[in-house]
Amino acid sequence: MEIQSFQQGDWLSSSWDRSSNAGLREVKKPEDIVLSGAILQQRCFESKPVIDAVKECALPLFNQVLARSDSRLILTDAEGVILASWGQDRFRERLTSIALRSGSCWLERLKGTNAIGTALYEKRAVSVIGEQHYIKHHRFISCSASPLFGPTGDLVGILDITSEQSKHDVMVQLLVQNMVQLVENRLLTQIPEGALQIDLALDSSVLSTGWQGIIIANEGGKVVAHNQLASQFIPHSGLVGLSVDDVIKHAKHGEGFIFKTHALTGKPYSKKVVSSSCDLHFGDHSIEQAWQQANRVVGKDISLLILGETGVGKGEFVKALHQNSDRKKQPLVTVNCGALPKDLLESELFGYAPGAFTGANSKGYLGRIRQADKGILFLDEIGEMPLEAQCRLLTVLQDKTVMPVGSTQTHQVDIQIIAATHQDLASLVRQGQFREDLYYRLNGLVIKLPALRERQDKQALFAAIHQKHGEESQVLSTALLNRFVEHSWPGNLRELDNLLKVASLIAGDEPELKLDHIPEHLLEPLLRQNVADSDSMEPTRDLRTAVNSTLMDVYREHDGNISKVSRVLGVSRNTIYRKLKKLGILG
């Protein structure tokens, strides 16, 4: 839906001219054109999806705002024939006197200037207030109407609110706009070939409001429809026919965009559609790019190496990749190479024959590599693997065979190997701590997951993880959110998740999660700033701004309690007083 304007202009005088040229007279009641019951019933059957969408999406809003007023919600078809109306019965009787009832046709050339007929002619939102009606008999009502467009851009009807003149105001015009948007979105998601919905917004809070951009793709991953807002977010000459991958690529060029995808209920979908986006982010380009690339190589006999700081979510990325691959029904076996003792790593990975060493199981051990047969073997912290084990792993990669410790028999395996590390493997190779030949075997595709401080979707991510742990209606306070944005998050997602989990438990059912709810050992690094005055170095303007911002946030969070502010920031009360006076907060 294109955002419409109800502002008056030349259209009103043009409409009056058209009414006059149609042979209508202001003081003469126009002829009523009413369809027969059978024809009306057929039209209602043809428009059933639109009627159902209005009942589901528009009528609840109308009832909430105007059900007790002398107003009616009216739906017409594309030829101005009233299909259905809802509202106060007593007002319906007054409208019946001017033929504003089911089956009546309200084209402008038949009824003169009116919101329904004129909106049809203008193909935009129109508000006709009292005396603006061409026919005198219609001037006791005020009407706001807007065209309804289907998924392919065709006009499918008019949605109108008609009220007593004294009851009509700007709120009704905005209400019509909102209802039309919701109805058009509903029609969009019901197209038969639709399988996947992509929602676009500038802020996560808008993603499910009905005012997000919406793109619908079929089970083959091609765009088949979209709303007008999506066109504004992605100014492409023609979205229809693009692949979902192309849509996401175009979306990433827009600064600050976030998006989410989900399969449409009851619709078929293929792996291609589902793999078009990753649920591990809310609009971060680098994660989406990594996801797209990784999906293309999994199952193609190409090793995957994932780089990234500790806590960025490498393990979660691999789990999601496994669930989206052709190997999802086969095991995902994870080995943390840094957590196993060096003398046990080889037997843990490759297995061992019965009696291979003192303390060995009498039946032998299959080993993690053979356990992953037909599935995925995830070698986390691969940089910690001893050189001896690296040599044997190279054989597995080259020959796809495993020889258990203490055995001379080899076993064929079919595995996808994914390795991950927070270390610089190329540097380890130069230092002789990692085999060069293994390095080049592992890095068939190298992807890097961004640190939390580098992500483009931080605020949406903060909200999403908070929702996972906090009360449904609880929100992050502005002061806390400001600290989150400025914090460097050395522990990345693991640090964020732990902090929000603990703080949410402490906050309980409080409406806001605040700095007060964070334990001191977690709060201290979050607020670590150079708040104290420095005699040796004058802070830069950016640093001074950040320091003052932190001080003011903590001051507000603690309702001006200087002792608490001093304790939280770890500086003296005199320093706090001095800075607040300098900022003009204290006299």
Side-chain angles (χ1 to χ4, degrees):
M1 169 188 165
E2 185 175 1
I3 302 303
Q4 306 284 351
S5 173
F6 283 93
Q7 297 299 315
Q8 307 302 334
D10 293 339
W11 68 265
L12 183 58
S13 58
S14 298
S15 177
W16 274 54
D17 288 342
R18 291 193 299 269
S19 300
S20 177
N21 293 336
L24 301 173
R25 296 295 175 260
E26 292 182 49
V27 296
K28 183 180 179 182
K29 190 175 180 180
E31 181 181 1
D32 294 336
I33 305 297
V34 182
L35 300 187
S36 68
I39 297 177
L40 176 61
Q41 187 176 13
Q42 177 63 28
R43 292 204 178 197
C44 287
F45 176 78
E46 294 170 353
S47 299
K48 188 177 185 304
V50 181
I51 296 173
D52 289 345
V54 170
K55 287 180 179 179
E56 180 181 343
C57 302
L59 186 56
L61 268 180
F62 175 80
N63 287 337
Q64 177 73 17
V65 180
L66 294 173
R68 297 183 181 277
S69 68
D70 286 337
S71 300
R72 299 283 292 178
L73 177 64
I74 298 172
L75 173 66
T76 81
D77 64 12
E79 295 180 347
V81 174
I82 298 176
L83 301 175
S85 65
W86 302 266
Q88 290 282 7
D89 288 339
R90 64 175 182 271
F91 187 52
R92 179 177 60 182
E93 295 173 4
R94 292 203 66 189
L95 297 184
T96 299
S97 68
I98 58 172
L100 204 58
R101 62 182 184 273
S102 296
S104 298
C105 184
W106 275 75
L107 289 173
E108 188 184 71
R109 60 182 173 82
L110 299 176
K111 297 292 186 180
T113 302
N114 72 89
I116 292 171
T118 306
L120 270 174
Y121 186 92
E122 296 282 344
K123 289 185 171 54
R124 67 183 182 91
V126 167
S127 192
V128 179
I129 311 297
E131 300 296 323
Q132 293 175 341
H133 286 89
Y134 184 78
I135 302 298
K136 185 176 181 179
H137 291 80
H138 301 160
R139 293 175 186 172
F140 74 94
I141 59 174
S142 292
C143 313
S144 292
S146 181
L148 279 169
F149 293 96
T152 59
D154 53 318
L155 182 67
V156 296
I158 295 288
L159 195 62
D160 167 88
I161 291 180
T162 293
S163 309
E164 287 276 14
Q165 186 175 349
S166 61
K167 301 289 186 180
H168 198 86
D169 56 22
V170 175
M171 179 193 71
V172 179
Q173 300 172 351
L174 298 176
L175 182 62
V176 172
Q177 292 278 24
N178 198 19
M179 291 191 300
V180 166
Q181 179 72 26
L182 293 174
V183 171
E184 289 184 349
N185 288 347
R186 181 60 177 156
L187 294 174
L188 196 64
T189 63
Q190 290 181 323
I191 59 175
E193 63 270 40
L196 185 79
Q197 178 174 332
I198 305 172
D199 295 321
L200 300 164
L202 293 173
D203 189 275
S204 60
S205 63
V206 185
L207 278 174
S208 301
T209 63
W211 284 94
Q212 73 271 30
I214 296 179
I215 294 174
I216 304 297
N218 61 19
E219 59 179 348
K222 297 293 183 181
V223 174
V224 292
H226 59 86
N227 65 3
Q228 184 66 27
L229 285 170
S231 301
Q232 296 173 17
F233 286 133
I234 305 178
H236 192 273
S237 56
L239 287 174
V240 174
L242 288 181
S243 69
V244 172
D245 290 354
D246 288 336
V247 168
I248 292 173
K249 180 177 68 177
H250 283 290
K252 297 310 178 184
H253 291 164
E255 185 177 352
F257 284 114
I258 58 175
F259 66 89
K260 68 176 181 180
T261 65
H262 58 88
L264 295 175
T265 304
K267 302 287 186 178
Y269 59 90
S270 66
K271 182 173 79 75
K272 183 173 184 179
V273 173
V274 176
S275 66
S276 294
S277 64
C278 175
D279 292 336
L280 300 177
H281 71 102
F282 297 86
D284 186 89
H285 173 58
S286 56
I287 294 179
E288 185 62 36
Q289 184 179 49
W291 176 258
Q292 297 293 337
Q293 292 177 351
N295 269 283
R296 291 190 175 97
V297 304
V298 168
K300 301 297 190 299
D301 197 26
I302 296 175
S303 296
L304 176 63
L305 178 61
I306 304 176
L307 305 178
E309 295 178 8
T310 299
V312 296
K314 298 186 289 291
E316 293 303 313
F317 187 91
V318 172
K319 289 177 185 177
L321 198 61
H322 172 250
Q323 285 301 308
N324 200 58
S325 72
D326 291 335
R327 295 175 181 252
K328 64 182 178 182
K329 294 183 179 179
Q330 304 302 325
L332 167 63
V333 176
T334 300
V335 178
N336 189 323
C337 301
L340 289 172
K342 292 184 178 181
D343 55 345
L344 293 180
L345 182 60
E346 282 195 67
S347 59
E348 183 69 22
L349 273 176
F350 305 102
Y352 55 81
F357 50 86
T358 302
N361 189 302
S362 60
K363 295 182 180 179
Y365 176 60
L366 197 62
R368 307 305 293 275
I369 292 176
R370 290 171 66 190
Q371 289 174 1
D373 189 31
K374 303 296 190 298
I376 293 177
L377 177 67
F378 175 39
L379 300 174
D380 199 8
E381 298 301 341
I382 187 71
E384 303 288 338
M385 179 175 283
L387 287 170
E388 298 81 5
Q390 291 179 27
C391 181
R392 299 195 63 177
L393 179 61
L394 181 63
T395 302
V396 175
L397 288 170
Q398 289 175 333
D399 304 330
K400 295 296 173 62
T401 59
V402 179
M403 181 181 293
V405 174
S407 173
T408 58
Q409 184 180 357
T410 60
H411 302 271
Q412 198 78 24
V413 289
D414 171 18
I415 55 173
Q416 167 79 52
I417 289 187
I418 301 177
T421 182
H422 69 281
Q423 300 187 67
D424 183 350
L425 287 188
S427 176
L428 294 180
V429 169
R430 290 192 295 271
Q431 297 169 26
Q433 298 179 28
F434 200 86
R435 291 183 63 103
E436 184 176 23
D437 46 6
L438 176 60
Y439 172 66
Y440 286 113
R441 274 287 183 178
L442 289 173
N443 70 350
L445 172 67
V446 179
I447 60 175
K448 183 177 181 180
L449 299 184
L452 176 54
R453 62 183 176 275
E454 300 168 345
R455 288 182 59 154
Q456 302 165 341
D457 60 346
K458 285 197 293 287
Q459 295 204 27
L461 188 62
F462 297 151
I465 295 180
H466 173 235
Q467 288 173 6
K468 182 174 73 171
H469 298 302
E471 293 291 327
E472 185 175 352
S473 59
Q474 191 181 77
V475 297
L476 297 172
S477 73
T478 301
L480 182 58
L481 187 58
N482 288 341
R483 299 282 66 76
F484 277 8
V485 171
E486 294 177 8
H487 187 45
S488 61
W489 297 106
N492 292 293
L493 295 177
R494 190 175 295 129
E495 178 187 0
L496 173 64
D497 187 80
N498 179 60
L499 186 152
L500 284 172
K501 184 177 182 179
V502 173
S504 296
L505 287 171
I506 292 173
D509 58 359
E510 290 286 331
E512 276 192 328
L513 187 69
K514 298 182 178 182
L515 290 166
D516 282 346
H517 299 130
I518 300 177
E520 283 194 26
H521 71 287
L522 297 175
L523 183 63
E524 192 276 330
L526 194 67
L527 295 175
R528 191 181 295 141
Q529 300 273 0
N530 183 17
V531 178
D533 288 332
S534 172
D535 296 329
S536 60
M537 182 182 297
E538 176 66 18
T540 65
R541 181 175 300 273
D542 287 342
L543 178 57
R544 187 185 302 113
T545 299
V547 167
N548 292 339
S549 173
T550 301
L551 174 59
M552 291 308 303
D553 282 343
V554 178
Y555 180 76
R556 293 190 190 101
E557 285 279 75
H558 291 83
D559 298 321
N561 188 313
I562 302 297
S563 296
K564 287 186 177 180
V565 174
S566 172
R567 186 169 61 255
V568 168
L569 295 177
V571 296
S572 70
R573 293 176 58 182
N574 288 338
T575 299
I576 300 298
Y577 277 117
R578 189 164 61 250
K579 282 194 161 290
L580 290 174
K581 286 180 180 179
K582 191 173 182 180
L583 292 171
I585 304 301
L586 298 178

